[in-house]
């Protein structure tokens, strides 16, 4: 498992809440376990106490994305560093489930999942994954969806660093809204121009009298 994979842990956790819509799916132990994925050892450790702890980590991870999206890369790095210090990782070399054509292990870096509780394990993995993505691709690759009222976090993996939305659905919705806004503006401008022309014509007729 490559370290880049772990950055998705941060996105999944942050997007478990939609503040602008007053939605929060992180309300139970089952929701916590779902964030880990199927058959995860870390997920099986989750208890009721982890629900509130996960929410706290989620809020801190969102501030990292918001700082990066706002162009304050120093703040984004400082916030992420504080998470890395609080939730250190345990890197290990692993070769499970990965074999070459000669059936030899394909060694890769793996973040061990054996801290004191589920929150510490998830936070360590999410923070390290996000740190890897940030240092490898740049702070500007951490974004907040521009589609109103979404505000989901995303990782920009586009070749030209042009991503602005968390999903195709949000991109389509934003484009449709922009198109309708342009049409309304054109209609208002046309109407205003028509009224001006009518006024000018009326004034001219009055002058002829």
């Amino acid at each position: 498992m490559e370290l880049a994979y772990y950055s998705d842990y941060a996105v999944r956790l942050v997007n478990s809440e939609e503040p602008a819509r007053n939605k929060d799916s992180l309300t139970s132990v089952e929701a916590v376990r779902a964030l880990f994925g199927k058959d995860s050892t870390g997920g099986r450790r989750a208890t009721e106490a982890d629900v509130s702890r996960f929410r706290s980590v989620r809020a801190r991870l969102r501030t990292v994305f918001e700082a990066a999206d706002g162009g304050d890369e120093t703040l984004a790095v400082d916030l992420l560093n504080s998470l890395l210090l609080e939730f250190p990782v345990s890197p290990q070399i692993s070769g499970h489930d990965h074999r070459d054509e000669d059936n030899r292990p394909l060694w890769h870096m793996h973040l061990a999942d054996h801290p004191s509780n589920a929150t510490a394990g998830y936070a360590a993995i999410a923070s390290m994954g996000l740190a890897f993505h940030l240092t490898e691709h740049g702070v500007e690759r951490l974004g907040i969806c521009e589609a109103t009222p979404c505000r989901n976090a995303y990782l920009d993996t586009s070749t030209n660093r042009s991503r602005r939305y968390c999903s195709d659905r949000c991109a389509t919705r934003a484009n449709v809204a922009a198109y309708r806004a342009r049409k309304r503006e054109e209609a208002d401008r046309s109407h205003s121009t028509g009224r001006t022309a009518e006024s000018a014509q009326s004034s001219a007729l009055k002058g002829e009298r």
Side-chain angles (χ1 to χ4, degrees):
M1 188 178 297
E2 298 179 358
L3 293 180
Y5 166 84
Y6 292 113
S7 58
D8 288 334
Y9 277 58
V11 175
R12 287 206 300 271
L13 178 54
V14 171
N15 293 345
S16 66
E17 179 187 31
E18 298 180 73
R21 294 189 175 106
N22 293 316
K23 292 183 178 180
D24 188 349
S25 63
L26 191 54
T27 58
S28 65
V29 177
E30 289 71 24
V32 169
R33 290 170 179 161
L35 287 169
F36 280 93
K38 187 178 180 181
D39 300 326
S40 168
T41 302
R44 288 195 293 271
R45 274 202 307 270
T47 66
E48 288 290 345
D50 285 299
V51 176
S52 59
R53 289 196 291 246
F54 259 68
R55 287 178 172 178
S56 177
V57 172
R58 178 179 65 188
R60 294 170 65 182
L61 284 170
R62 175 171 282 279
T63 62
V64 175
F65 279 94
E66 290 176 341
D69 187 69
D72 195 340
E73 61 180 273
T74 299
L75 177 59
V77 169
D78 287 344
L79 292 168
L80 189 50
N81 272 335
S82 68
L83 283 163
L84 291 169
L85 287 172
E86 185 173 345
F87 302 105
V89 298
S90 301
Q92 292 181 350
I93 299 174
S94 176
H96 64 83
D97 300 329
H98 294 75
R99 299 280 173 172
D100 63 15
E101 58 185 14
D102 296 320
N103 202 34
R104 294 178 303 181
L106 294 174
W107 303 113
H108 57 277
M109 290 301 298
H110 178 84
L111 300 183
D113 186 18
H114 52 72
S116 57
N117 58 65
T119 302
Y122 196 99
I125 290 172
S127 300
M128 186 60 196
L130 198 56
F132 177 82
H133 191 94
L134 184 152
T135 54
E136 186 73 9
H137 304 292
V139 179
E140 65 275 12
R141 293 288 188 153
L142 278 61
I144 296 291
C145 186
E146 293 184 12
T148 304
C150 180
R151 307 302 291 166
N152 272 351
Y154 66 84
L155 298 171
D156 185 359
T157 56
S158 63
T159 55
N160 57 357
R161 300 172 183 257
S162 61
R163 186 170 178 179
R164 298 165 54 202
Y165 306 103
C166 69
S167 65
D168 291 339
R169 179 181 179 183
C170 276
T172 299
R173 188 168 65 243
N175 289 334
V176 169
Y179 173 78
R180 289 175 177 171
R182 286 196 303 271
K183 286 299 181 182
R184 284 195 299 270
E185 185 178 342
E186 289 172 4
D188 290 343
R189 188 162 53 244
S190 177
H191 182 65
S192 177
T193 301
R195 291 181 62 183
T196 301
E198 289 177 2
S199 178
Q201 185 178 18
S202 177
S203 296
L205 290 174
K206 288 180 180 179
E208 291 176 357
R209 293 173 189 169

